[in-house]
Amino acid sequence: MLLPRQPLLRSIALVGEALAGKPARAFAFFYPEATGTYRFTDRSVTIRKHFPDSLALLTSSDMSDKPALQSKYDVVILGAGHNGLVAATYLGRAGLSVLLLEKNDYIGGAVTSQKVFPDYNAYLSRYSYLVSLFPEKIIRDLGLKLELRRRATGSFTPYVKNGEHQGLLLSNTSEETSRQSMFELTGSQAEHEQLKKLYNLPRVFAEHVWDSMLEPLVAKEEFGRRFGRDEISREAWRSLAEEPLGRAIERYLQNDLVRGLVLTDAKIGVFTNPHDPSLLQNRCFLYHLIGNKTGEWKVPVGGMGAVARELETAARKSGAEFLTNVDLRALGLNRNKHGVEFRIDGKKQTVEGRFLLVNFGRNVLARYLDDEYHPEATDEGSVFKINMLLRRLPKLKETRYPRSIATR
């Protein structure tokens, strides 16, 4: 997983080279991640109405003036996930012709809302479900109309103390609630103060690095110098970039439940431990806690599908063309042009692009390049997500907090 600088940075670099008339180059960017979509064929359109209330029904006559698939484009983007959509919009606005090819019958990759349970008219954020690492600058640049709401509850952790079911509630809106809940767990005010100090480290880290997400990559040594201006910055750099995160957790916190809670942001999806010398846990922790300098994960109103629709609309307005249900068969790469062979509706198609953006993983790309892919240990991980529909909120054994607060 790469930081979100990649789609914008490489797109801007691509635009600059294209406008300067330099030879084409192939780029690949990777980032795991939007939905009810249109599927275009030569002169007809099939509509998949994921969102009947928000999508206008189009007919083939509405698209009769849509140009047919061209044989050559300035840029061909493989994969219409959110990175591909962002890149397509910037490139289209720069005056380049852009074609996005998507294997699914919907746009947006993991940023999607879908009717997971056929018997219920409910659309769920099936994969990604919160927004944090999407830079606000991109939202402003693209004019995306998104409403992102704050979650009142940061976390709720059940535990048993003296045979009684209780819960640690950390609030995003009331520090006093968090302080009192921590006191009930530990019997002291000290752990809450120490937790605040620990969580201040990624805030300081974010102040130094977040704006660089949309800039050329900075060498680690240069970053280290940026953190040398005061003691708290040096502590943030040491704790999060130089030594295993477990040291800071154990240095700041005494309660094992609180330590474990903090570690969840360093452990989700990856095979690591607090004292892993690879610092994989540090990177995972930072991804979860530096987004837009706050690290807060917000809920998009309308689900992730709302994010996808805004991105798709922006890309289409910029002139980008889309094809879905694409079966990619082969890539031909050379210095001046890049060929893409695929099948759609059972027909073989080939297009050329001066530039090629690959919006899927290196493991998938390797198959099309006849290369072997050997992941490093730090590339391995596991994520299991369960989507559920509830008739009511679950009844908790802990009774001090209302279910609506503990499960929010």
Side-chain angles (χ1 to χ4, degrees), residues 35 48 50-51 106 110 112-129 385-389:
T35 197
R48 179 167 185 171
H50 284 299
F51 299 93
Y106 59 88
T112 179
S113 295
Q114 295 181 348
K115 191 174 181 180
V116 179
F117 303 99
D119 295 336
Y120 297 89
N121 190 31
Y123 293 86
L124 308 183
S125 297
R126 186 171 189 174
Y127 304 110
S128 298
Y129 55 98
K385 180 173 181 283
I386 300 176
N387 293 295
M388 296 186 295
L389 282 177

Side-chain angles (χ1 to χ4, degrees), residues 3 24-25 50-51 77 90 117 159 177 202 208 223-224 245 289 326 333 336 360 368 373 390 399 403:
L3 291 171
R25 292 192 289 133
H50 284 299
F51 299 93
I77 301 178
Y90 278 110
F117 303 99
Y159 63 90
T177 296
H208 286 286
F223 260 138
L245 179 65
L289 291 171
V326 169
L333 307 180
N336 297 312
F360 48 68
Y368 294 106
Y373 175 69
L390 303 178
T399 58
R403 284 181 288 177

Side-chain angles (χ1 to χ4, degrees), residues 270-272 276 278 280 283 374-381:
V270 294
F271 298 147
T272 186
D276 185 346
S278 75
L280 174 61
R283 283 180 280 163
H374 300 288
E376 298 179 5
T378 53
D379 294 328
E380 298 292 337

Side-chain angles (χ1 to χ4, degrees), residues 7 14 16-17 28 47 62 82 87 101 145 153 184-185 190 208 225-227 246 285-286 298 306 309 335 338 357 404:
L14 203 106
E17 293 183 5
I47 306 300
D62 295 316
H82 76 282
L101 301 178
K145 297 182 177 71
T153 300
E184 292 168 355
L185 169 66
H208 286 286
R225 287 192 288 270
R226 295 183 185 185
F227 280 79
F285 185 75
L286 288 171
K298 296 183 178 181
R309 292 194 297 278
R335 179 174 175 78
H338 310 295
L357 297 186
S404 59

Side-chain angles (χ1 to χ4, degrees), residues 30-264:
F30 316 102
Y31 194 75
E33 297 253 307
T35 197
T37 69
Y38 319 124
R39 168 174 159 267
F40 294 101
T41 53
D42 288 342
R43 296 185 61 81
S44 66
V45 60
T46 301
I47 306 300
R48 179 167 185 171
K49 296 194 299 177
H50 284 299
F51 299 93
D53 296 333
S54 57
L55 283 180
L57 178 62
L58 301 181
T59 66
S60 58
S61 61
D62 295 316
M63 302 304 298
S64 59
D65 59 346
K66 193 74 176 176
L69 180 67
Q70 306 298 309
S71 61
K72 296 181 181 181
Y73 290 84
D74 291 320
V75 183
V76 177
I77 301 178
L78 305 180
H82 76 282
N83 275 341
L85 294 169
V86 169
T89 305
Y90 278 110
L91 293 168
R93 290 182 179 183
L96 301 181
S97 59
V98 180
L99 173 67
L100 289 97
L101 301 178
E102 169 58 47
K103 72 172 184 177
N104 294 310
D105 63 350
Y106 59 88
I107 300 299
V111 183
T112 179
S113 295
Q114 295 181 348
K115 191 174 181 180
V116 179
F117 303 99
D119 295 336
Y120 297 89
N121 190 31
Y123 293 86
L124 308 183
S125 297
R126 186 171 189 174
Y127 304 110
S128 298
Y129 55 98
L130 297 172
V131 176
S132 178
L133 290 171
F134 194 15
E136 292 176 354
K137 182 182 187 304
I138 292 180
I139 295 176
R140 293 192 301 268
D141 282 354
L142 304 190
L144 305 180
K145 297 182 177 71
L146 298 177
E147 182 181 353
L148 304 176
R149 291 186 182 176
R150 193 178 196 188
R151 297 178 300 154
T153 300
S155 65
F156 177 78
T157 308
Y159 63 90
V160 177
K161 183 178 180 180
N162 299 325
E164 180 183 353
H165 291 279
Q166 300 184 37
L168 174 62
L169 177 65
L170 298 184
S171 172
N172 286 331
T173 59
S174 172
E175 182 177 343
E176 182 54 36
T177 296
S178 301
R179 183 186 303 276
Q180 181 60 30
S181 189
M182 185 71 77
F183 177 80
E184 292 168 355
L185 169 66
T186 65
S188 167
Q189 300 288 350
E191 195 77 346
H192 180 261
E193 292 302 316
Q194 287 297 104
L195 182 64
K196 287 173 57 180
K197 291 179 181 179
L198 176 60
Y199 275 139
N200 186 51
L201 298 181
R203 301 293 181 273
V204 172
F205 201 96
E207 285 293 330
H208 286 286
V209 306
W210 179 252
D211 290 338
S212 75
M213 297 297 132
L214 301 179
E215 298 172 355
L217 289 170
V218 178
K220 182 177 180 179
E221 293 74 16
E222 171 58 26
F223 260 138
R225 287 192 288 270
R226 295 183 185 185
F227 280 79
R229 66 186 186 189
D230 54 50
E231 182 58 35
I232 187 62
S233 295
R234 289 190 288 272
E235 168 68 2
W237 180 255
R238 175 170 68 96
S239 299
L240 301 175
E242 291 188 331
E243 65 182 26
L245 179 65
R247 295 185 189 178
I249 292 176
E250 293 174 353
R251 187 163 60 243
Y252 280 85
L253 304 172
Q254 301 304 311
N255 184 276
D256 281 343
L257 185 143
V258 180
R259 287 174 170 178
L261 176 60
V262 171
L263 186 65
T264 59

